[in-house]
Amino acid sequence: MNLKMAHEPNDADGLILNTLTEGRNSPQNLADKLDYSRQYVQNRLQLLNAAEFVENIGGGLYELTDKGRDEIGAPERDQLETVADALDEIEAAFERGDPDAARAALERAQEAISDSDIDD
């Protein structure tokens, strides 16, 4: 049975969610980084998982879901990938000496940023 829970994140949850914007992580690493006990972080992750803010992807790792990103105002993964790809294209265009391609890639990056909460 998969029950969805209403969960109002506390301060520790906010720190956990913000840390998970950096990528997948384990309860022990999060506890060490945030100066909480591993058991407390594990309990918070279970609540956040039940609320669908994080996902237990196995192997003791958790990652932020799109719902979790929305909760803290973080950009969605596809928007970040669009910006990262555009930055790679800009670098390659400059190496080729192609300012038009660099400008086009810059415009794609700016559009992805303006379509998200990255600059809020």
Side-chain angles (χ1 to χ4, degrees):
M1 177 186 280
N2 184 11
L3 297 176
K4 293 182 182 176
M5 294 180 55
H7 177 66
E8 187 66 33
N10 67 18
D11 290 342
D13 296 339
L15 292 172
I16 291 168
L17 293 173
N18 278 307
T19 302
L20 287 173
T21 64
E22 300 168 9
R24 298 171 174 166
N25 216 325
S26 70
Q28 184 63 57
N29 287 339
L30 290 165
D32 292 344
K33 185 171 188 165
L34 301 174
D35 200 28
Y36 290 111
S37 73
R38 187 208 54 80
Q39 185 60 45
Y40 181 72
V41 170
Q42 181 66 46
N43 290 341
R44 300 315 302 172
L45 284 167
Q46 289 172 351
L47 289 170
L48 292 167
N49 186 55
E52 299 179 347
F53 291 137
V54 302
E55 180 180 0
N56 182 341
I57 60 169
L61 293 176
Y62 287 81
E63 72 179 3
L64 196 58
T65 63
D66 286 339
K67 183 177 178 181
R69 289 181 181 285
D70 289 344
E71 178 66 24
I72 60 172
E76 292 185 18
R77 189 174 301 121
D78 62 333
Q79 292 165 321
L80 294 174
E81 289 172 0
T82 298
V83 172
D85 290 345
L87 291 173
D88 289 342
E89 291 174 31
I90 292 167
E91 182 179 20
F94 276 114
E95 288 175 1
R96 289 191 315 268
D98 186 351
D100 292 334
R103 246 183 246 102
L106 178 59
E107 288 173 9
R108 280 193 300 283
Q110 289 171 328
E111 184 176 313
I113 292 168
S114 68
D115 288 346
S116 71
D117 294 329
I118 293 173
D119 56 354
D120 286 346

